[in-house]
Amino acid sequence: MPSRATPDPYTSPETFAQRARRARDRAGLTRPVAGGLVGRSAEWVKGIENGTIGMPRLPMLIRLATVYECDIADLIGDDRIAAATYTKAAHADLPAIKRALTTYWLTPTDREPEPAAVLAARVRQAWKLWHGKGDHRSRIAALLPDLLADAQHSVRALDGADRRHALVAQAQAYHLAQLFLSFQPAPDLVMLTGDRSMAAAQDADSPRAIAGAAWYMNHVYRDANEAAEARVELAEQAAALLRQDDEEGLARWGLLQLAVALSFAKVGREGQAWRYWDRAADAARRLGPTYAHPWLVFGQGIVEAYALTMHNDLMQPGKALEVASALDLDRVPSATRRSFHLVETARAHGMQDEGVAAVALLQKAHKESPETVRYNMHTRMVLPELAKTGPRMVRADAHALAQELGVAV
């Protein structure tokens, strides 16, 4: 009787193993990096991909889909299930922001355009609300529709230098919209706002505005797992346009070095990541210990805090916690950023199975900036597991926080 060949999990289009391998390849992640991001070993990822480990349960499927930036359907072959259904919560004001971004004023109006200086002042105020304590997304959502509409009108109606200044303000308004849309189930709108902000910055012919747009586009590319080379090229081209002989130019140059460092860390290229981080740290040092950009928040505090994220992405939780232990978050003048870095510290503890510390830090991050935690993908993924299988002494706390965030347990 002829022997039957063992099915090859990499060539069969019907196997979970084959889909998992393709999803990881598309994400550009190595097995050690992918395993670390979902709290497993490289050998576990290998077992998933060669079929010796079967399809995991839903919570792990959600983690894999999130890390690979794909839908669960891409992994299990069922297009009725999408990862966003489980991991991304829609803000109540998302429809209003979407309408604001897709409304076009095509007919002439007798209304006077907003002067560029007034528009810029409104944008500065919106940034203060974004970085302040409390529900930052809800606060700027109340301002964004009118701000976007007025910026659009001013850019169309003004001429010369006034129009260029209005374009710079418009680019920043799109940055705020992009930040609101981050971690929302609207990836097309995130890309739209990133592209529009870059177009406005280029139309303004402002190297500084282009640098700011490149920083935020780098986030878009990184979250979408675009090739590191594309992200690096954008940041380096924008950095080359800048002068470093004043605070504003040096801060934005340093910020773009940090963008490259984060991009390389995301794909596990440690040497290059820390080389660019050193450049960012040197720029921050030259700006002085008390300097922090008013809305980009670049300074020594933020560079040091992002070292924590880089160690996490490089699967070095022990080193991440060493950074965290020395980190002074009072040097980060943004509640949203402080909350984010507390979540990152919780992520490092979680990678070391230290659930008590992880839950305590998530609670602290929630107190600092509730909507940062509510819409953070890591938080929404790990809380259900901590509530069910974490240390007994914190299960109730994890369950309560999950309920507060609207995460199913």
mmCIF file with all atom_site columns, all heavy atoms in Angstrom, residues 11 20 26 40 44-45 83 94 102 124 155 193 211-212 217-218 235 261 269 283 292-293 297 301 329 340 366:
data_model
loop_
_atom_site.group_PDB
_atom_site.id
_atom_site.type_symbol
_atom_site.label_atom_id
_atom_site.label_alt_id
_atom_site.label_comp_id
_atom_site.label_asym_id
_atom_site.label_entity_id
_atom_site.label_seq_id
_atom_site.pdbx_PDB_ins_code
_atom_site.Cartn_x
_atom_site.Cartn_y
_atom_site.Cartn_z
_atom_site.occupancy
_atom_site.B_iso_or_equiv
_atom_site.pdbx_formal_charge
_atom_site.auth_seq_id
_atom_site.auth_comp_id
_atom_site.auth_asym_id
_atom_site.auth_atom_id
_atom_site.pdbx_PDB_model_num
ATOM 1   N N   . THR A 1 11  ? 2.697   24.885 2.401  1.00 0.00 ? 11  THR A N   1
ATOM 2   C CA  . THR A 1 11  ? 2.173   24.952 1.043  1.00 0.00 ? 11  THR A CA  1
ATOM 3   C C   . THR A 1 11  ? 0.668   24.812 0.992  1.00 0.00 ? 11  THR A C   1
ATOM 4   O O   . THR A 1 11  ? 0.047   25.221 0.024  1.00 0.00 ? 11  THR A O   1
ATOM 5   C CB  . THR A 1 11  ? 2.809   23.862 0.165  1.00 0.00 ? 11  THR A CB  1
ATOM 6   O OG1 . THR A 1 11  ? 2.503   22.583 0.731  1.00 0.00 ? 11  THR A OG1 1
ATOM 7   C CG2 . THR A 1 11  ? 4.322   24.041 0.114  1.00 0.00 ? 11  THR A CG2 1
ATOM 8   N N   . ALA A 1 20  ? -0.346  31.736 9.446  1.00 0.00 ? 20  ALA A N   1
ATOM 9   C CA  . ALA A 1 20  ? 0.426   32.412 10.488 1.00 0.00 ? 20  ALA A CA  1
ATOM 10  C C   . ALA A 1 20  ? 1.809   32.800 9.979  1.00 0.00 ? 20  ALA A C   1
ATOM 11  O O   . ALA A 1 20  ? 2.306   33.897 10.257 1.00 0.00 ? 20  ALA A O   1
ATOM 12  C CB  . ALA A 1 20  ? 0.533   31.511 11.720 1.00 0.00 ? 20  ALA A CB  1
ATOM 13  N N   . ARG A 1 26  ? 4.685   39.053 6.266  1.00 0.00 ? 26  ARG A N   1
ATOM 14  C CA  . ARG A 1 26  ? 4.188   40.349 5.801  1.00 0.00 ? 26  ARG A CA  1
ATOM 15  C C   . ARG A 1 26  ? 4.478   41.444 6.811  1.00 0.00 ? 26  ARG A C   1
ATOM 16  O O   . ARG A 1 26  ? 4.717   42.603 6.443  1.00 0.00 ? 26  ARG A O   1
ATOM 17  C CB  . ARG A 1 26  ? 2.687   40.280 5.525  1.00 0.00 ? 26  ARG A CB  1
ATOM 18  C CG  . ARG A 1 26  ? 2.313   39.564 4.231  1.00 0.00 ? 26  ARG A CG  1
ATOM 19  C CD  . ARG A 1 26  ? 0.878   39.903 3.827  1.00 0.00 ? 26  ARG A CD  1
ATOM 20  N NE  . ARG A 1 26  ? -0.067  39.474 4.850  1.00 0.00 ? 26  ARG A NE  1
ATOM 21  C CZ  . ARG A 1 26  ? -0.669  38.294 4.873  1.00 0.00 ? 26  ARG A CZ  1
ATOM 22  N NH1 . ARG A 1 26  ? -0.405  37.404 3.928  1.00 0.00 ? 26  ARG A NH1 1
ATOM 23  N NH2 . ARG A 1 26  ? -1.527  37.995 5.833  1.00 0.00 ? 26  ARG A NH2 1
ATOM 24  N N   . ARG A 1 40  ? 5.496   34.899 24.143 1.00 0.00 ? 40  ARG A N   1
ATOM 25  C CA  . ARG A 1 40  ? 5.877   33.505 23.936 1.00 0.00 ? 40  ARG A CA  1
ATOM 26  C C   . ARG A 1 40  ? 7.307   33.454 23.382 1.00 0.00 ? 40  ARG A C   1
ATOM 27  O O   . ARG A 1 40  ? 7.895   34.472 23.053 1.00 0.00 ? 40  ARG A O   1
ATOM 28  C CB  . ARG A 1 40  ? 4.911   32.808 22.974 1.00 0.00 ? 40  ARG A CB  1
ATOM 29  C CG  . ARG A 1 40  ? 3.496   32.668 23.487 1.00 0.00 ? 40  ARG A CG  1
ATOM 30  C CD  . ARG A 1 40  ? 3.415   31.712 24.670 1.00 0.00 ? 40  ARG A CD  1
ATOM 31  N NE  . ARG A 1 40  ? 2.047   31.448 25.071 1.00 0.00 ? 40  ARG A NE  1
ATOM 32  C CZ  . ARG A 1 40  ? 1.385   32.148 25.975 1.00 0.00 ? 40  ARG A CZ  1
ATOM 33  N NH1 . ARG A 1 40  ? 1.985   33.177 26.562 1.00 0.00 ? 40  ARG A NH1 1
ATOM 34  N NH2 . ARG A 1 40  ? 0.140   31.838 26.301 1.00 0.00 ? 40  ARG A NH2 1
ATOM 35  N N   . TRP A 1 44  ? 7.994   28.627 20.288 1.00 0.00 ? 44  TRP A N   1
ATOM 36  C CA  . TRP A 1 44  ? 6.518   28.540 20.218 1.00 0.00 ? 44  TRP A CA  1
ATOM 37  C C   . TRP A 1 44  ? 6.025   29.015 18.853 1.00 0.00 ? 44  TRP A C   1
ATOM 38  O O   . TRP A 1 44  ? 5.164   28.385 18.235 1.00 0.00 ? 44  TRP A O   1
ATOM 39  C CB  . TRP A 1 44  ? 5.909   29.373 21.343 1.00 0.00 ? 44  TRP A CB  1
ATOM 40  C CG  . TRP A 1 44  ? 4.405   29.321 21.391 1.00 0.00 ? 44  TRP A CG  1
ATOM 41  C CD1 . TRP A 1 44  ? 3.635   28.408 22.053 1.00 0.00 ? 44  TRP A CD1 1
ATOM 42  C CD2 . TRP A 1 44  ? 3.495   30.235 20.767 1.00 0.00 ? 44  TRP A CD2 1
ATOM 43  N NE1 . TRP A 1 44  ? 2.295   28.686 21.868 1.00 0.00 ? 44  TRP A NE1 1
ATOM 44  C CE2 . TRP A 1 44  ? 2.183   29.809 21.071 1.00 0.00 ? 44  TRP A CE2 1
ATOM 45  C CE3 . TRP A 1 44  ? 3.663   31.368 19.961 1.00 0.00 ? 44  TRP A CE3 1
ATOM 46  C CZ2 . TRP A 1 44  ? 1.048   30.467 20.626 1.00 0.00 ? 44  TRP A CZ2 1
ATOM 47  C CZ3 . TRP A 1 44  ? 2.531   32.033 19.507 1.00 0.00 ? 44  TRP A CZ3 1
ATOM 48  C CH2 . TRP A 1 44  ? 1.244   31.587 19.834 1.00 0.00 ? 44  TRP A CH2 1
ATOM 49  N N   . VAL A 1 45  ? 6.564   30.135 18.375 1.00 0.00 ? 45  VAL A N   1
ATOM 50  C CA  . VAL A 1 45  ? 6.176   30.642 17.053 1.00 0.00 ? 45  VAL A CA  1
ATOM 51  C C   . VAL A 1 45  ? 6.518   29.614 15.984 1.00 0.00 ? 45  VAL A C   1
ATOM 52  O O   . VAL A 1 45  ? 5.719   29.348 15.071 1.00 0.00 ? 45  VAL A O   1
ATOM 53  C CB  . VAL A 1 45  ? 6.858   31.991 16.754 1.00 0.00 ? 45  VAL A CB  1
ATOM 54  C CG1 . VAL A 1 45  ? 6.504   32.471 15.343 1.00 0.00 ? 45  VAL A CG1 1
ATOM 55  C CG2 . VAL A 1 45  ? 6.454   33.041 17.777 1.00 0.00 ? 45  VAL A CG2 1
ATOM 56  N N   . ALA A 1 83  ? -10.128 41.266 13.970 1.00 0.00 ? 83  ALA A N   1
ATOM 57  C CA  . ALA A 1 83  ? -9.453  41.561 15.237 1.00 0.00 ? 83  ALA A CA  1
ATOM 58  C C   . ALA A 1 83  ? -9.947  42.864 15.829 1.00 0.00 ? 83  ALA A C   1
ATOM 59  O O   . ALA A 1 83  ? -10.058 43.013 17.042 1.00 0.00 ? 83  ALA A O   1
ATOM 60  C CB  . ALA A 1 83  ? -7.937  41.628 15.004 1.00 0.00 ? 83  ALA A CB  1
ATOM 61  N N   . LEU A 1 94  ? -16.046 59.446 17.126 1.00 0.00 ? 94  LEU A N   1
ATOM 62  C CA  . LEU A 1 94  ? -15.414 59.036 15.873 1.00 0.00 ? 94  LEU A CA  1
ATOM 63  C C   . LEU A 1 94  ? -16.244 59.417 14.645 1.00 0.00 ? 94  LEU A C   1
ATOM 64  O O   . LEU A 1 94  ? -15.691 59.938 13.670 1.00 0.00 ? 94  LEU A O   1
ATOM 65  C CB  . LEU A 1 94  ? -15.131 57.524 15.894 1.00 0.00 ? 94  LEU A CB  1
ATOM 66  C CG  . LEU A 1 94  ? -14.527 56.932 14.615 1.00 0.00 ? 94  LEU A CG  1
ATOM 67  C CD1 . LEU A 1 94  ? -13.199 57.589 14.272 1.00 0.00 ? 94  LEU A CD1 1
ATOM 68  C CD2 . LEU A 1 94  ? -14.343 55.417 14.773 1.00 0.00 ? 94  LEU A CD2 1
ATOM 69  N N   . THR A 1 102 ? -14.221 64.325 5.902  1.00 0.00 ? 102 THR A N   1
ATOM 70  C CA  . THR A 1 102 ? -14.750 64.002 4.574  1.00 0.00 ? 102 THR A CA  1
ATOM 71  C C   . THR A 1 102 ? -15.787 65.019 4.100  1.00 0.00 ? 102 THR A C   1
ATOM 72  O O   . THR A 1 102 ? -16.555 64.746 3.188  1.00 0.00 ? 102 THR A O   1
ATOM 73  C CB  . THR A 1 102 ? -15.363 62.593 4.578  1.00 0.00 ? 102 THR A CB  1
ATOM 74  O OG1 . THR A 1 102 ? -16.354 62.496 5.613  1.00 0.00 ? 102 THR A OG1 1
ATOM 75  C CG2 . THR A 1 102 ? -14.290 61.541 4.799  1.00 0.00 ? 102 THR A CG2 1
ATOM 76  N N   . ARG A 1 124 ? -2.595  75.726 19.124 1.00 0.00 ? 124 ARG A N   1
ATOM 77  C CA  . ARG A 1 124 ? -1.780  75.629 20.345 1.00 0.00 ? 124 ARG A CA  1
ATOM 78  C C   . ARG A 1 124 ? -2.653  75.251 21.542 1.00 0.00 ? 124 ARG A C   1
ATOM 79  O O   . ARG A 1 124 ? -2.254  74.435 22.382 1.00 0.00 ? 124 ARG A O   1
ATOM 80  C CB  . ARG A 1 124 ? -1.045  76.939 20.615 1.00 0.00 ? 124 ARG A CB  1
ATOM 81  C CG  . ARG A 1 124 ? 0.139   77.199 19.682 1.00 0.00 ? 124 ARG A CG  1
ATOM 82  C CD  . ARG A 1 124 ? 1.030   78.309 20.225 1.00 0.00 ? 124 ARG A CD  1
ATOM 83  N NE  . ARG A 1 124 ? 0.331   79.587 20.307 1.00 0.00 ? 124 ARG A NE  1
ATOM 84  C CZ  . ARG A 1 124 ? 0.258   80.468 19.322 1.00 0.00 ? 124 ARG A CZ  1
ATOM 85  N NH1 . ARG A 1 124 ? 0.836   80.206 18.151 1.00 0.00 ? 124 ARG A NH1 1
ATOM 86  N NH2 . ARG A 1 124 ? -0.376  81.612 19.487 1.00 0.00 ? 124 ARG A NH2 1
ATOM 87  N N   . VAL A 1 155 ? -6.926  78.274 4.292  1.00 0.00 ? 155 VAL A N   1
ATOM 88  C CA  . VAL A 1 155 ? -5.936  77.874 3.296  1.00 0.00 ? 155 VAL A CA  1
ATOM 89  C C   . VAL A 1 155 ? -6.426  78.201 1.890  1.00 0.00 ? 155 VAL A C   1
ATOM 90  O O   . VAL A 1 155 ? -5.628  78.596 1.018  1.00 0.00 ? 155 VAL A O   1
ATOM 91  C CB  . VAL A 1 155 ? -5.616  76.372 3.449  1.00 0.00 ? 155 VAL A CB  1
ATOM 92  C CG1 . VAL A 1 155 ? -4.889  75.832 2.229  1.00 0.00 ? 155 VAL A CG1 1
ATOM 93  C CG2 . VAL A 1 155 ? -4.789  76.141 4.704  1.00 0.00 ? 155 VAL A CG2 1
ATOM 94  N N   . THR A 1 193 ? -5.210  61.259 7.347  1.00 0.00 ? 193 THR A N   1
ATOM 95  C CA  . THR A 1 193 ? -4.749  62.450 8.061  1.00 0.00 ? 193 THR A CA  1
ATOM 96  C C   . THR A 1 193 ? -3.231  62.584 7.975  1.00 0.00 ? 193 THR A C   1
ATOM 97  O O   . THR A 1 193 ? -2.707  63.703 7.865  1.00 0.00 ? 193 THR A O   1
ATOM 98  C CB  . THR A 1 193 ? -5.183  62.401 9.531  1.00 0.00 ? 193 THR A CB  1
ATOM 99  O OG1 . THR A 1 193 ? -4.819  61.137 10.104 1.00 0.00 ? 193 THR A OG1 1
ATOM 100 C CG2 . THR A 1 193 ? -6.685  62.587 9.668  1.00 0.00 ? 193 THR A CG2 1
ATOM 101 N N   . ALA A 1 211 ? 9.080   68.183 8.993  1.00 0.00 ? 211 ALA A N   1
ATOM 102 C CA  . ALA A 1 211 ? 9.665   67.321 10.017 1.00 0.00 ? 211 ALA A CA  1
ATOM 103 C C   . ALA A 1 211 ? 8.597   66.808 10.976 1.00 0.00 ? 211 ALA A C   1
ATOM 104 O O   . ALA A 1 211 ? 8.577   65.626 11.340 1.00 0.00 ? 211 ALA A O   1
ATOM 105 C CB  . ALA A 1 211 ? 10.745  68.072 10.787 1.00 0.00 ? 211 ALA A CB  1
ATOM 106 N N   . GLY A 1 212 ? 7.693   67.688 11.395 1.00 0.00 ? 212 GLY A N   1
ATOM 107 C CA  . GLY A 1 212 ? 6.608   67.254 12.269 1.00 0.00 ? 212 GLY A CA  1
ATOM 108 C C   . GLY A 1 212 ? 5.718   66.223 11.596 1.00 0.00 ? 212 GLY A C   1
ATOM 109 O O   . GLY A 1 212 ? 5.329   65.213 12.201 1.00 0.00 ? 212 GLY A O   1
ATOM 110 N N   . MET A 1 217 ? 3.961   60.577 10.437 1.00 0.00 ? 217 MET A N   1
ATOM 111 C CA  . MET A 1 217 ? 3.855   59.551 9.404  1.00 0.00 ? 217 MET A CA  1
ATOM 112 C C   . MET A 1 217 ? 4.677   58.323 9.781  1.00 0.00 ? 217 MET A C   1
ATOM 113 O O   . MET A 1 217 ? 4.314   57.198 9.456  1.00 0.00 ? 217 MET A O   1
ATOM 114 C CB  . MET A 1 217 ? 4.322   60.098 8.056  1.00 0.00 ? 217 MET A CB  1
ATOM 115 C CG  . MET A 1 217 ? 3.287   60.944 7.325  1.00 0.00 ? 217 MET A CG  1
ATOM 116 S SD  . MET A 1 217 ? 1.737   60.059 6.993  1.00 0.00 ? 217 MET A SD  1
ATOM 117 C CE  . MET A 1 217 ? 2.287   58.769 5.870  1.00 0.00 ? 217 MET A CE  1
ATOM 118 N N   . ASN A 1 218 ? 5.784   58.547 10.493 1.00 0.00 ? 218 ASN A N   1
ATOM 119 C CA  . ASN A 1 218 ? 6.591   57.422 10.940 1.00 0.00 ? 218 ASN A CA  1
ATOM 120 C C   . ASN A 1 218 ? 5.792   56.518 11.864 1.00 0.00 ? 218 ASN A C   1
ATOM 121 O O   . ASN A 1 218 ? 5.903   55.295 11.804 1.00 0.00 ? 218 ASN A O   1
ATOM 122 C CB  . ASN A 1 218 ? 7.856   57.939 11.642 1.00 0.00 ? 218 ASN A CB  1
ATOM 123 C CG  . ASN A 1 218 ? 9.040   57.031 11.431 1.00 0.00 ? 218 ASN A CG  1
ATOM 124 O OD1 . ASN A 1 218 ? 9.228   56.090 12.179 1.00 0.00 ? 218 ASN A OD1 1
ATOM 125 N ND2 . ASN A 1 218 ? 9.840   57.323 10.405 1.00 0.00 ? 218 ASN A ND2 1
ATOM 126 N N   . ALA A 1 235 ? 12.238  59.797 7.381  1.00 0.00 ? 235 ALA A N   1
ATOM 127 C CA  . ALA A 1 235 ? 12.766  60.579 8.492  1.00 0.00 ? 235 ALA A CA  1
ATOM 128 C C   . ALA A 1 235 ? 14.077  61.251 8.137  1.00 0.00 ? 235 ALA A C   1
ATOM 129 O O   . ALA A 1 235 ? 14.301  62.427 8.467  1.00 0.00 ? 235 ALA A O   1
ATOM 130 C CB  . ALA A 1 235 ? 12.936  59.681 9.715  1.00 0.00 ? 235 ALA A CB  1
ATOM 131 N N   . ALA A 1 261 ? 15.163  55.424 15.370 1.00 0.00 ? 261 ALA A N   1
ATOM 132 C CA  . ALA A 1 261 ? 15.521  54.469 16.423 1.00 0.00 ? 261 ALA A CA  1
ATOM 133 C C   . ALA A 1 261 ? 14.345  53.554 16.745 1.00 0.00 ? 261 ALA A C   1
ATOM 134 O O   . ALA A 1 261 ? 14.498  52.326 16.858 1.00 0.00 ? 261 ALA A O   1
ATOM 135 C CB  . ALA A 1 261 ? 15.959  55.229 17.680 1.00 0.00 ? 261 ALA A CB  1
ATOM 136 N N   . ARG A 1 269 ? 16.382  45.371 14.978 1.00 0.00 ? 269 ARG A N   1
ATOM 137 C CA  . ARG A 1 269 ? 17.724  45.748 14.534 1.00 0.00 ? 269 ARG A CA  1
ATOM 138 C C   . ARG A 1 269 ? 18.374  46.622 15.607 1.00 0.00 ? 269 ARG A C   1
ATOM 139 O O   . ARG A 1 269 ? 18.384  47.847 15.543 1.00 0.00 ? 269 ARG A O   1
ATOM 140 C CB  . ARG A 1 269 ? 17.652  46.420 13.166 1.00 0.00 ? 269 ARG A CB  1
ATOM 141 C CG  . ARG A 1 269 ? 17.228  45.420 12.093 1.00 0.00 ? 269 ARG A CG  1
ATOM 142 C CD  . ARG A 1 269 ? 16.696  46.035 10.831 1.00 0.00 ? 269 ARG A CD  1
ATOM 143 N NE  . ARG A 1 269 ? 17.705  46.744 10.066 1.00 0.00 ? 269 ARG A NE  1
ATOM 144 C CZ  . ARG A 1 269 ? 17.490  47.237 8.847  1.00 0.00 ? 269 ARG A CZ  1
ATOM 145 N NH1 . ARG A 1 269 ? 16.312  47.029 8.243  1.00 0.00 ? 269 ARG A NH1 1
ATOM 146 N NH2 . ARG A 1 269 ? 18.440  47.888 8.218  1.00 0.00 ? 269 ARG A NH2 1
ATOM 147 N N   . ALA A 1 283 ? 21.006  65.334 20.879 1.00 0.00 ? 283 ALA A N   1
ATOM 148 C CA  . ALA A 1 283 ? 20.243  66.541 20.549 1.00 0.00 ? 283 ALA A CA  1
ATOM 149 C C   . ALA A 1 283 ? 19.495  67.051 21.780 1.00 0.00 ? 283 ALA A C   1
ATOM 150 O O   . ALA A 1 283 ? 19.475  68.263 22.056 1.00 0.00 ? 283 ALA A O   1
ATOM 151 C CB  . ALA A 1 283 ? 19.268  66.253 19.415 1.00 0.00 ? 283 ALA A CB  1
ATOM 152 N N   . ALA A 1 292 ? 11.616  71.147 26.724 1.00 0.00 ? 292 ALA A N   1
ATOM 153 C CA  . ALA A 1 292 ? 10.637  70.219 26.156 1.00 0.00 ? 292 ALA A CA  1
ATOM 154 C C   . ALA A 1 292 ? 9.842   70.980 25.114 1.00 0.00 ? 292 ALA A C   1
ATOM 155 O O   . ALA A 1 292 ? 9.326   72.071 25.388 1.00 0.00 ? 292 ALA A O   1
ATOM 156 C CB  . ALA A 1 292 ? 9.708   69.654 27.222 1.00 0.00 ? 292 ALA A CB  1
ATOM 157 N N   . HIS A 1 293 ? 9.760   70.452 23.903 1.00 0.00 ? 293 HIS A N   1
ATOM 158 C CA  . HIS A 1 293 ? 9.018   71.128 22.845 1.00 0.00 ? 293 HIS A CA  1
ATOM 159 C C   . HIS A 1 293 ? 7.560   71.250 23.271 1.00 0.00 ? 293 HIS A C   1
ATOM 160 O O   . HIS A 1 293 ? 6.976   70.314 23.828 1.00 0.00 ? 293 HIS A O   1
ATOM 161 C CB  . HIS A 1 293 ? 9.126   70.337 21.539 1.00 0.00 ? 293 HIS A CB  1
ATOM 162 C CG  . HIS A 1 293 ? 8.637   71.089 20.353 1.00 0.00 ? 293 HIS A CG  1
ATOM 163 N ND1 . HIS A 1 293 ? 7.305   71.134 20.004 1.00 0.00 ? 293 HIS A ND1 1
ATOM 164 C CD2 . HIS A 1 293 ? 9.297   71.848 19.437 1.00 0.00 ? 293 HIS A CD2 1
ATOM 165 C CE1 . HIS A 1 293 ? 7.165   71.873 18.918 1.00 0.00 ? 293 HIS A CE1 1
ATOM 166 N NE2 . HIS A 1 293 ? 8.358   72.325 18.551 1.00 0.00 ? 293 HIS A NE2 1
ATOM 167 N N   . VAL A 1 297 ? 6.833   67.635 22.409 1.00 0.00 ? 297 VAL A N   1
ATOM 168 C CA  . VAL A 1 297 ? 7.289   67.159 23.716 1.00 0.00 ? 297 VAL A CA  1
ATOM 169 C C   . VAL A 1 297 ? 8.685   66.553 23.658 1.00 0.00 ? 297 VAL A C   1
ATOM 170 O O   . VAL A 1 297 ? 9.061   65.789 24.531 1.00 0.00 ? 297 VAL A O   1
ATOM 171 C CB  . VAL A 1 297 ? 6.282   66.151 24.338 1.00 0.00 ? 297 VAL A CB  1
ATOM 172 C CG1 . VAL A 1 297 ? 6.475   66.054 25.846 1.00 0.00 ? 297 VAL A CG1 1
ATOM 173 C CG2 . VAL A 1 297 ? 4.853   66.562 24.084 1.00 0.00 ? 297 VAL A CG2 1
ATOM 174 N N   . GLY A 1 301 ? 13.562  64.054 28.794 1.00 0.00 ? 301 GLY A N   1
ATOM 175 C CA  . GLY A 1 301 ? 12.615  63.148 29.427 1.00 0.00 ? 301 GLY A CA  1
ATOM 176 C C   . GLY A 1 301 ? 11.986  62.177 28.452 1.00 0.00 ? 301 GLY A C   1
ATOM 177 O O   . GLY A 1 301 ? 11.883  60.968 28.726 1.00 0.00 ? 301 GLY A O   1
ATOM 178 N N   . LEU A 1 329 ? 9.303   60.620 35.290 1.00 0.00 ? 329 LEU A N   1
ATOM 179 C CA  . LEU A 1 329 ? 8.237   61.023 34.373 1.00 0.00 ? 329 LEU A CA  1
ATOM 180 C C   . LEU A 1 329 ? 7.804   62.468 34.573 1.00 0.00 ? 329 LEU A C   1
ATOM 181 O O   . LEU A 1 329 ? 7.082   63.016 33.737 1.00 0.00 ? 329 LEU A O   1
ATOM 182 C CB  . LEU A 1 329 ? 7.033   60.088 34.528 1.00 0.00 ? 329 LEU A CB  1
ATOM 183 C CG  . LEU A 1 329 ? 7.208   58.694 33.924 1.00 0.00 ? 329 LEU A CG  1
ATOM 184 C CD1 . LEU A 1 329 ? 5.954   57.860 34.127 1.00 0.00 ? 329 LEU A CD1 1
ATOM 185 C CD2 . LEU A 1 329 ? 7.548   58.767 32.439 1.00 0.00 ? 329 LEU A CD2 1
ATOM 186 N N   . PHE A 1 340 ? 1.238   56.664 28.704 1.00 0.00 ? 340 PHE A N   1
ATOM 187 C CA  . PHE A 1 340 ? 1.742   55.687 27.737 1.00 0.00 ? 340 PHE A CA  1
ATOM 188 C C   . PHE A 1 340 ? 2.976   54.974 28.274 1.00 0.00 ? 340 PHE A C   1
ATOM 189 O O   . PHE A 1 340 ? 3.113   53.750 28.163 1.00 0.00 ? 340 PHE A O   1
ATOM 190 C CB  . PHE A 1 340 ? 2.066   56.375 26.410 1.00 0.00 ? 340 PHE A CB  1
ATOM 191 C CG  . PHE A 1 340 ? 2.826   55.499 25.439 1.00 0.00 ? 340 PHE A CG  1
ATOM 192 C CD1 . PHE A 1 340 ? 2.174   54.497 24.744 1.00 0.00 ? 340 PHE A CD1 1
ATOM 193 C CD2 . PHE A 1 340 ? 4.184   55.675 25.241 1.00 0.00 ? 340 PHE A CD2 1
ATOM 194 C CE1 . PHE A 1 340 ? 2.874   53.678 23.858 1.00 0.00 ? 340 PHE A CE1 1
ATOM 195 C CE2 . PHE A 1 340 ? 4.890   54.870 24.362 1.00 0.00 ? 340 PHE A CE2 1
ATOM 196 C CZ  . PHE A 1 340 ? 4.223   53.869 23.670 1.00 0.00 ? 340 PHE A CZ  1
ATOM 197 N N   . HIS A 1 366 ? -4.112  54.675 34.115 1.00 0.00 ? 366 HIS A N   1
ATOM 198 C CA  . HIS A 1 366 ? -5.512  55.055 33.902 1.00 0.00 ? 366 HIS A CA  1
ATOM 199 C C   . HIS A 1 366 ? -5.856  56.317 34.683 1.00 0.00 ? 366 HIS A C   1
ATOM 200 O O   . HIS A 1 366 ? -6.574  57.192 34.185 1.00 0.00 ? 366 HIS A O   1
ATOM 201 C CB  . HIS A 1 366 ? -6.423  53.901 34.332 1.00 0.00 ? 366 HIS A CB  1
ATOM 202 C CG  . HIS A 1 366 ? -7.862  54.168 34.109 1.00 0.00 ? 366 HIS A CG  1
ATOM 203 N ND1 . HIS A 1 366 ? -8.734  54.471 35.132 1.00 0.00 ? 366 HIS A ND1 1
ATOM 204 C CD2 . HIS A 1 366 ? -8.606  54.195 32.973 1.00 0.00 ? 366 HIS A CD2 1
ATOM 205 C CE1 . HIS A 1 366 ? -9.949  54.663 34.640 1.00 0.00 ? 366 HIS A CE1 1
ATOM 206 N NE2 . HIS A 1 366 ? -9.903  54.500 33.335 1.00 0.00 ? 366 HIS A NE2 1
#
